[in-house]
Structures are given as structure tokens and as C-alpha cells.
Amino acid sequence: MWPDLIRKAKEGGIDTIETYVFWDHHEPRPREYDFSGNLDFIRFFKTVQEAGLYAILRIGPYVCAEWNYGGFPVWLHNMPGIQLRTDNAVYKSEMETFVAKIVSMCQEAKLFGPQGGPIIFAQIENEYGNVMGPYGEAGKSYVKWCAEMAQNFSIGVPWIMCQQADAPQPMINTCNGFYCHNFQPNNPKSPKMWTENWSGGFKNWGGQDPHRTAEDLAYSVALFFQTGGVLMNYYMYHGGTNFGRSSGGPYIATTYDYDAPLDEYGLPSQPKYGHLVQLHAALKSVQKILTSTKPTHQSVGNQVNLTTFLNNATGEKVCFLSNTNVGQDANIDLEQNGKYFVPAWSVSILAGCNKEIYNTAKVNTPTTVMVKVPNRAEKEPAHLSWTWAAEPMSDTLHGHGQFNAMKLLEQKETTLDASDYLWYMTRVDIDDTSSWTNANLFVNTTGHVLHAYVNGELIGSQWGTGTEDAYNFTFIKNVTLQRGTNVISLLSATVGLQNYGSFFDLSPAGIVGGPVKLISNKNDVTMDLSTNQWSYKVGLNGEAEKLMDAGCQLRQSIKWSTDGLPISKPMTWYKTTFQAPLGTEPVVVDLQGMGKGQAWVNGQSIGRYWPAFLAPKDGCNATCDYRGVYSWDNCMTNCGNPTQRWYHVPRSFLRNDKNTLVLFEEMGGNPTQVAFKTVTIGAVCSTAYEGSTLELSCQGGKTLSNIQFASFGDPKGTCQSFSKGSCESATVMSVVQKACTGKEKCSINISEGTLGTSNCANDITRRVAVQAVCEDKTDSILKILRSLSLDFSSNQLLKKISYLWRTF
Ligand code: GAL
């Protein structure tokens, strides 16, 4: 996907691509490096360069990034004497070794600017300033060491440190956040740079979908350049998917869409992408003046500011007119330089200080509504047909593990994160069953998911709420013990290791220390099992046997069965084959109906899935006001639905012939609803003020069909929730239908002349709002043929038409 994503970024007006480097993936075991395939970061930078773009190398090697363990390999944690991210000799030596490796690879590949390469900055550490307090003096000396170590590499381009107010010179301290116009680097000679402008947000399992409006994002960027900023990077411009077990946590979802300008699948998210294209073009058209002159600022009153960049030598100038007022629009009269309508919470860029070339709140890029449509593979049956295999548990349910300890171990220390799963098993001998009928099993765990079995029976499962700091929990379930030996088998699963905070690396996972107790039915006897002999097994048998990899199952004794497909059965493997959907649109698998687990396509993990985890019902707003300081939860959507229902299957994972999907279902699910879909534009919305032009277009060769909404006056709401305001023209719908229906795109000049009188009160600024369905040409043709009463019962023809449209 890299070349296509980079091309779209370039077309979006981006000129530099910033990326982290992920230590855990590149050095999975000490001094065993992996830079192959998707880990070939040198190739990534070369692709960036081939596209004619610059690059920023963020080595970290702590990266945060909602990435497992913040990018640290878990083996670091087990090194004797190590303390991470502080002045500790063992850690510093490991960090330096890795940084040296990355730097020398870049130097060898001639990737740094002075070598003719694309890299113009490199970053050491990541937002350490935000968490360094608790590390005390050792933290301060660590920052100095980081700076010296990095500087000694003589890479020929500046090093940056983000959110590091005490960044030692010559490190450049940069800003991260939703707004950075008030930021000043600690060295007055450093340029004012913004390494992370959060374009939206990430999702936790059990969380809703965050959105940041195009207006507010553009506002933050324009304000930054108005106040002397010189470099701004979107975090994320494209976030993509956290395949495999790379999501951090705990409980960070597999999608890393981030509401970024290029969505999870690499499609432009509109209007954000298009609105920023125009902003970038406007900024670039004046960038010479911005970077070569000192601005003067003038208050025009009521939180409106005029900033002038004037080149005295040439007389060239550009102005920014910002209205930071949350509620009040402004009409500004700059006399001979013109009159300007500056909506609340917006910035206008005035070329020559007398012509508005951009306003952050005036969005004229249409909004697209993406939909998931059924797989149109040529030979795909309506439902996938499944085989299944139960996870073999005869060892663990009988308490047989790989090694023993007389205590409850910490999970990542024990598994080295080779798997999400760790079995904790112990035995309890009971003579008198009377106290232990309807007794309680009590397990205190640091998370993240627990399944408890007693004598081979699943007695219950539990997990944290998914919100921050809510992954510790206590499991208490009724249990009846038998005379003689009882086996308690606890399966603990991690859902991404902690990636943020002071000493985050020490956050425990699993049943470490417990306690695990049995409490008699009268509450009079408590058996603390925490220091029993515990037997351990890392990972699942199905994982060891490579059941996820259709071509490579190790043990023939595991049989995939076609009989009696189990539904709602925990610890079950499911397998099916499918055809790659036709065309080039992104592919997703709809896992609605499944519980929690992992999914693989042709042996490649497409990540953890958990559609059974629903987002809270409350907290979503029908409309999202762009005005006012944004925070993560301002504009949530998807309330009450699965946090993540659709899982991205990159086309590069697919084969033309037969593909295999394997699911490991941990909680119990129903695979009969699972289906492959493609992501496409379903509808498009557009608004425009009187005097401007309304643009509507369905990308990807689709046509505008049904006009669902059209109003000219003061329509309310946003795309998918438009409603008529206090006034409206009577003819707008027919004008729009005539101009747009059946076309790929259309534009209409907005005036009473074209759209009819709207009878609005004098103080209303009239605008038009339209919503139209985008229809696949195949469907349009079918409609026409059906209207001619041709027989269409045969699916054959439909498939042929669909195939032809999509292929050619
Ligand atoms: C920053 C961090 C990024 C990412 C972001 C939130 O603090 O540097 O790596 O975690 O927050 O998405």
C-alpha cells in the first residue's frame, strides 16, 4: 500500500512524511533483527524519496503510538538490572545499540539530507517531558544523555525531541497536541515546529468513534502558521490498521483509522482530506513570505486578530485574519483591503492582504458517506461454509503445563509476549465437600481478560471495562468442588500491553500475586491458593500447531470438522475459504456475531477482533459543532454499536484464486453471519453559501442517483442529519435533480436566480445543503434493464456486468 498512500499524501499537499520506527518488530529477540517485507523501513523511505517528498525519522525508540508496550521489545523488561527510560546503564546500552543500528542503516542507504536522502529531521525519545517528573534526577540526566548520544552520531540533520521543555541544545523541542499556536521552543533560535497535530483519535475496545472536524483541524493549522510556525505534521495523516498483536493498551482496538485524512483503508476521508488540500495550497502559495518575514499582529477587537507578513524589499504581503471567538461570527471591514466574513473559530488567509484565498470554516469539499457492500466475487456463494476445530485443552484442563512455580507470575515476564495467552493451573484437594458445594472462586487479576475453568468446566469469563485504568478486576464465581483432587485452570489473556505513562513498562499484566482464593459456602473458610504450586503454559495449543496457517498445520491429530458447526462455543477455531472480491476497492471482513479472538487471512494476522464489545449507548451527539477547543470525546459517534465490526483485509494479503480465513474464537460466537465486503462511497453531501458554487461528486466512477435532501435557505444539521430551517426555496429539489441525477459530478452556482426565492429573513446568510446517493454503475444499468422488463433472475448476467465495470 505504501506507494499509493504516499502518492495520495503528495496529492493532498503533504511534502514530508513522518514515521516512527518500531523496535519490538525490528529486534524481536536480542540482536536478531528483522527488516524484511513490511518491516523494510529503508524501502519505505526510498519510496517517500521517489515520490519527491521529505521524511522525518522518529527513532524513539520509545514511541508510544498506541503500540504494544510503546514499541519496546518485551525482552528488555527481563534483562537483569534494567530500568527503562531512565539513567540506567543496561537500558542506555540497549537503546544506543538500537539507535546506532537504525542510524547506520540510514547512513548506508544514504537517506539523510546531506547525503542526498529525504530525511530532514530525526527524533530521539518521545514526549518524555510529559512523564519525566517521577523519574527525578535520573530522568533529567537521561534526557541529557539522550541528546549527547544522538548528537554524537553526526547525521548532518537536526535532532528533535517532542514535548521536552528542557531539551538540551542543539536538540529542537517540538510541540504535540490539538493546538500549538501558543507553543514556543525553549531555545529562541529553534524553529517553531509541531510534530503531532492529532487529526482525530484512536479507539479503545468498548469505546466510541472519535471525530475531529475538518474545520477545527484546519483552524489549528492556520493559527499555527499565523503565529510563526514553520513545520506541522498530522498525527495521523494515515493511521491504518494495527495488524497482528501490535495494538497497545491495554484494550486498544485493531483499527487505527484515527479519523485521519486518509482513512484506515487509504481512502480520502472527505471533507477533511479535500479541505486540507485547499489549505495546503493556500499556505504554499504564500510560504516564501511566511518564512522570510517577521509578522506584525494587530487586534481588530472581539478576539479577531489581523497578522501581516510583509516583505519590505519586494512589497509582497499576506495576512491572516483569525476569529478565536467560540460563538460570534465577525464581519471585518479592512477598508480599501475589503470586507470579510470570518465565522466564529476560523482563520482566513488573505493573499496580498486583500483577497480571501481560504477560510478554515468555509468547507466546500463534499462529504462522502462510506458504506460496506457485499462481496461481488464471481463465484462466491451467499454464505461462507465453515469447518471448525475445538482448541485442544486436554493438557491444561487437567492442570498440565510446561513449568511450575510456587507463586502467581506476572504475565509478560512469563510469556515474553509470545502470545496473548497464559494458563495458570493448580490443584486443590478436598475431603469434606459440604463446605465446598456452592463455594466461591475469587481471582484478583491485573487483566486483561480471564477465563476460569474448574475440573474442565468453564465457570465464567471477565474483563475490564476497557477505559483507562480499568483493567484490574476481581472475578468471583460460584463453584462446586468435588471430593479428592480439583483442577483450577485459569486462562489469562492480554489485549495489548500498556504503552503510556511514567514507568508504564512496569504495569503488571495477568494474575500476578493474585490473590486467588476459594471461599467456602458459609464464608467461614478461605483457602488462599496464591502460593500453591502453579503450573504454567504459554500460548494455546492451536497457536503452537499453527492452526491459523492453512498450509502448515503441524499435528495431524487436530481435525477440522464440517459437522455440527458450533455456535457460541468458546475456544473454537473456525476456517473457511473465499474468493477475493472483484475490483480494487478495499476489502473488509464483517465479524458481526463473533465474540473475541484473532483473525488470519492466508496465515497473516489481520489483528484481534472483539465485535461483542459494544461502545456505551450515551455520549454521542447528532451534530458536531466545530467551534471551541476540541478534546478527544467532543464529537463521538457509533454509540451502542460494536467498537469494531469490520476488519481490514489488505488486497496485498489476498490471492486471485482461493483464500483462507481462520478465526480463533475465545468467548463464543456465530460465524454464519461473517461476510467479506468492499468499502465504497454510498452517498455524498455538500453545502455552499450563496454566491459560491455547490460541487457534488461521486468518486470512483459512481453516479449521483437519488437526491435525498436539498434545501436552499438556512438548512440545519450536517450530512445524514440535514433538516429544513426557517426558510426554503420551493424549487431547489427539482433544480438539483435536473443538474445532478445520473451524473458523476455536477456543480451549481448558488443564487436565488438559479435555486428560487427562499423568503429568508434579512439577517440570514443563505446556503444550500444537498445529500445524494452514489450508485454503482452496475446497479444503474440493472435498473435501466429492469425498467425495460428484461429478465434478471439469472445472477450470471449481474456478475458479468459487475465484473466488466470493475475490471475495465
Ligand atoms: C502522543 C504520542 C503518540 C500517540 C499520540 C496519541 O502523546 O507521542 O505516539 O500516542 O499521543 O495518539
Side-chain angles (χ1 to χ4, degrees), residues 7-42:
R7 178 182 58 77
K8 285 175 180 152
K10 188 176 184 185
E11 285 168 10
I14 298 297
D15 51 26
T16 305
I17 297 210
E18 180 179 88
T19 184
Y20 281 131
V21 173
F22 297 94
W23 188 358
D24 58 334
H25 276 40
H26 292 306
E27 195 176 351
R29 280 163 297 281
R31 310 301 175 264
E32 275 181 37
Y33 296 104
D34 188 355
F35 298 101
S36 63
N38 286 338
L39 298 177
D40 188 352
F41 78 95
I42 298 286

Side-chain angles (χ1 to χ4, degrees), residues 20 58 63-66 126-127 130 162 176 196 198 202 235 256 258 499-500 632:
Y20 281 131
R58 305 179 88 191
V63 298
C64 192
E66 290 67 74
N126 189 80
E127 293 192 340
N130 290 358
C162 56
N176 292 346
E196 294 185 23
W198 300 324
F202 59 89
Y235 186 103
Y256 201 59
Y258 219 90
N499 59 268
Y500 183 70
W632 299 112

